[in-house]
Amino acid sequence: MIVKGTYFQNDPEKPLVYGDVEIENVRRQRLKGEEPKDAVLCEPVMVGFCGTDNELMNMGSKGLLGPKFPAGKNRLINGHEGIVWVPSEKRFAIVLIRGGDSWDPTRYTEDESYFEYGCDGADGLFCDKQYFHPDMLLRIPDGYVKDGKLDLNFAKKMVFPDPFACMLFQLERMEDLGSAHNFRRTMRKYSCDEHQARKIAKEEVFERTVIFGLGTTGMFIGDLIRRSHKDAKILFVARSSADSPKVKFALGQTDAIYLQNNYESEEELGKAIIEKLGGRATLFIGVSGSNVEHRIAFEHKVLGCNGIYNSFSLGPQISFDTMPFGFENHLIMASINFRQDHMEKAIELLAESNYDEIVELIDKDEFISDPIGAYKNKIYSKSAPMKTAVVWNKEYIDF
């Protein structure tokens, strides 16, 4: 079937193209042990732009996208955040993007396989029609559809389940690893048994939390930490002015404190973070996408003894001096995944949120007339909003 859509290709001049593209009904497996199933034809309604899309475009300009293409194709239809209409079932759905021949897509091993709609090995949502696995079309909560049309504000929130689910997984990982990392120390400190010590250690991980970078992922993890750990001290560090709408919104969501990175040296910034926190960090989360993150944490000793470094940024390389790293008992973790239960929980939490306020729409005609220009000059420019989305099919949206 030929449809209109945007797709990435290996081309130094045109890594992102809008035009005719062929889609296919590919039988896929959601999880190991399940039978592969034919896909269901859907119509994308609202699609969000993710930093991954921009990175994939950059990879295409360098000729590096080959491993990401669907089997037998030389292009990838992008888009992995959004909501679709399922004509055969007359309902809207959120696409669960990650599946494959693995017991748990957050823990796939080297002898297992996975795919991600719009990211890796499977076409995504930026097209007029697309095929998706029937069991990966997650239901939306009741009350947001009227006369066959989807509430616009709700639709805006539904470009976030993918990154929000990622952050739910991050929270789970930090709790699990933090508890395991430090419970023996808390057993001795509080003279308690292992069960109680793990509970205490799980809380203490978040005692002094640095979130380095303030995009949507940083905001979401701050929000989720605050929901689960009321006594956590959370410090955002970013370049934006403290009175910018983005910073004000983030602090309102998370009850966090803020430090603007306008220091002349990294050493000064490191000292300011420690002073603002009231001590060295128990947890350092890097979401800025810059190499500054690891230097601030390790070279400038912002991360304290027994602390955890969560590397969520794509691109930066991490280095550290092994002597203090070993003696200060640091733990480095990294994972960018989520399970279906994370996605379903994300939909539930987002439906009741006000995150639609940070989503701005780009007109579809403006976007498809010059996709690369839209990426560079609007969606991912320095003046870009926190989140940009496009209504791909206005027929299904209640404006």
Side-chain angles (χ1 to χ4, degrees):
M1 178 184 294
I2 303 296
V3 299
K4 294 285 188 181
T6 63
Y7 56 91
F8 293 124
Q9 60 184 2
N10 282 326
D11 188 302
E13 302 298 327
K14 295 183 178 180
L16 177 60
V17 177
Y18 174 79
D20 289 338
V21 61
E22 185 177 7
I23 62 171
E24 297 177 350
N25 181 352
V26 179
R27 288 174 62 82
R28 298 191 186 279
Q29 188 176 9
R30 180 178 60 165
L31 293 171
K32 187 181 285 292
E34 297 182 356
E35 289 295 321
K37 291 186 177 182
D38 282 327
V40 173
L41 190 63
C42 301
E43 300 176 21
V45 176
M46 172 87 81
V47 192
F49 298 89
C50 172
T52 301
D53 295 311
N54 196 42
E55 181 62 26
L56 290 171
M57 184 180 75
N58 292 333
M59 289 174 65
S61 67
K62 299 173 184 176
L64 302 176
L65 271 182
K68 299 288 187 182
F69 294 150
K73 303 293 184 183
N74 62 358
R75 87 296 173 277
L76 171 70
I77 300 173
N78 62 308
H80 57 277
E81 299 178 346
I83 193 163
V84 300
W85 171 252
V86 189
S88 61
E89 300 178 21
K90 292 183 171 53
R91 69 177 179 94
F92 293 98
I94 307 296
V95 180
L96 173 66
I97 70 161
R98 192 178 183 91
D101 184 24
S102 56
W103 294 114
D104 180 343
T106 68
R107 292 290 189 280
Y108 74 92
T109 62
E110 60 276 3
D111 61 343
E112 296 177 329
S113 64
Y114 74 95
F115 67 87
E116 290 182 325
Y117 288 121
C119 293
D120 200 335
D123 286 329
L125 285 84
F126 277 114
C127 51
D128 294 342
K129 295 183 180 181
Q130 187 57 272
Y131 290 100
F132 299 108
H133 190 294
D135 298 331
M136 297 174 69
L137 295 169
L138 306 183
R139 294 190 173 274
I140 67 170
D142 294 333
Y144 297 102
V145 179
K146 182 179 180 180
D147 298 327
K149 293 182 182 289
L150 194 64
D151 177 78
L152 175 61
N153 290 333
F154 173 78
K156 286 182 176 181
K157 300 173 190 178
M158 291 303 109
V159 300
F160 288 128
D162 173 282
F164 207 82
C166 274
M167 293 304 103
L168 282 164
F169 181 53
Q170 294 294 306
L171 178 66
E172 178 183 282
R173 287 274 286 163
M174 290 186 291
E175 291 175 339
D176 289 350
L177 293 175
S179 175
H181 186 50
N182 286 321
F183 79 90
R184 295 191 184 281
R185 176 178 175 275
T186 56
M187 280 178 67
R188 289 163 176 78
K189 179 179 179 180
Y190 298 103
S191 300
C192 58
D193 61 19
E194 180 177 333
H195 176 73
Q196 183 63 21
R198 285 181 179 270
K199 288 179 63 177
I200 295 170
K202 180 178 172 180
E203 288 294 327
E204 288 186 343
V205 169
F206 304 96
E207 186 175 351
R208 292 184 299 277
T209 298
V210 173
I211 301 176
F212 199 89
L214 187 50
T216 52
T217 52
M219 185 188 304
F220 291 160
I221 194 59
D223 183 349
L224 290 170
I225 289 171
R226 176 62 67 211
R227 290 172 189 254
S228 299
H229 302 277
K230 304 300 184 185
D231 294 329
K233 189 171 189 178
I234 303 170
L235 171 66
F236 284 109
V237 181
R239 293 190 176 277
S240 300
S241 170
D243 60 2
S244 68
K246 176 172 75 171
V247 172
K248 289 181 177 180
F249 185 89
L251 298 187
Q253 292 292 110
T254 61
D255 191 27
I257 55 178
Y258 184 69
L259 180 67
Q260 184 180 2
N261 178 11
N262 56 2
Y263 292 86
E264 291 186 2
S265 70
E266 292 176 4
E267 181 180 10
E268 289 177 293
L269 174 60
K271 290 179 179 178
I273 292 173
I274 294 171
E275 182 178 353
K276 193 82 169 178
L277 274 178
R280 294 169 71 188
T282 53
L283 173 65
F284 190 106
I285 305 172
V287 290
S288 73
S290 72
N291 281 312
V292 175
E293 297 172 350
H294 74 94
R295 293 196 296 267
I296 292 296
F298 298 117
E299 293 180 24
H300 300 290
K301 296 186 175 296
V302 167
L303 185 63
C305 291
N306 307 304
I308 295 177
Y309 184 94
N310 183 348
S311 173
F312 192 77
S313 292
L314 290 176
Q317 296 183 353
I318 298 174
S319 64
F320 51 86
D321 185 335
T322 56
M323 181 69 81
F325 176 81
F327 277 95
E328 293 194 346
N329 200 33
H330 290 148
L331 172 65
I332 297 176
M333 59 163 284
S335 49
I336 305 176
N337 299 310
F338 57 84
R339 299 187 305 271
Q340 181 169 333
D341 60 303
H342 293 133
M343 191 80 160
E344 291 168 339
K345 182 64 174 178
I347 293 169
E348 175 188 329
L349 292 174
L350 286 165
E352 300 300 321
S353 78
N354 62 336
Y355 279 116
D356 55 297
E357 295 177 13
I358 61 172
V359 180
E360 294 189 18
L361 299 178
I362 184 172
D363 183 75
K364 181 184 177 183
D365 290 336
E366 178 186 355
F367 171 57
I368 64 177
S369 65
D370 181 12
I372 294 177
Y375 270 43
K376 292 182 177 180
N377 302 321
K378 189 166 186 177
I379 301 168
Y380 301 108
S381 69
K382 289 186 178 180
S383 60
M386 288 198 73
K387 189 70 172 181
T388 304
V390 60
V391 176
W392 201 263
N393 193 325
K394 295 181 178 180
E395 177 185 348
Y396 296 113
I397 296 291
D398 183 2
F399 289 93

